[in-house]
Amino acid sequence: MDMLISLSPIILMFVIFYFLLIRPQQKRQKQVKQMQTDLKKGDEVITIGGFHGVVHAIDENTVVIQAAGENTKLTYDRSAIREVKS
């Protein structure tokens, strides 16, 4: 019993750490993964490098993004997409 009382602050600290840091990060990762899965042609996106463009073509692991000009197309990994502009 004495051992449990002495460990209770450490256990409480891990529980608080989980709910304040780990759980929100897991939720954010799940949202980003879902966003990257739901990409479709015509979506306006921003990459992790700050490149803005429109999705021209999608493959299983890659996305072709078209810039302002008709002839400017760049290929990125799906994981490089940071957000979809609405």
Side-chain angles (χ1 to χ4, degrees):
M1 185 68 173
D2 190 35
M3 179 84 156
L4 183 62
I5 293 173
S6 65
L7 289 177
S8 64
I10 294 173
I11 294 170
L12 180 64
M13 185 173 59
F14 279 116
V15 169
I16 291 172
F17 182 75
Y18 174 78
F19 281 106
L20 292 179
L21 297 175
I22 297 172
R23 190 165 177 244
Q25 180 65 26
Q26 288 175 338
K27 286 176 68 175
R28 176 71 181 135
Q29 286 176 344
K30 188 182 283 188
Q31 289 173 340
V32 168
K33 184 73 172 165
Q34 185 65 39
M35 179 269 306
Q36 290 171 349
T37 303
D38 293 342
L39 282 175
K40 60 186 178 300
K41 185 175 180 177
D43 283 346
E44 292 184 34
V45 296
I46 303 173
T47 66
I48 56 175
F51 181 74
H52 294 244
V54 177
V55 175
H56 179 71
I58 300 175
D59 195 359
E60 188 174 320
N61 294 321
T62 60
V63 177
V64 178
I65 300 176
Q66 183 175 353
E70 284 291 317
N71 296 329
T72 308
K73 296 178 182 140
L74 300 169
T75 303
Y76 286 91
D77 287 340
R78 269 189 194 247
S79 60
I81 305 301
R82 182 180 72 196
E83 70 179 270
V84 176
K85 293 168 45 175
S86 23

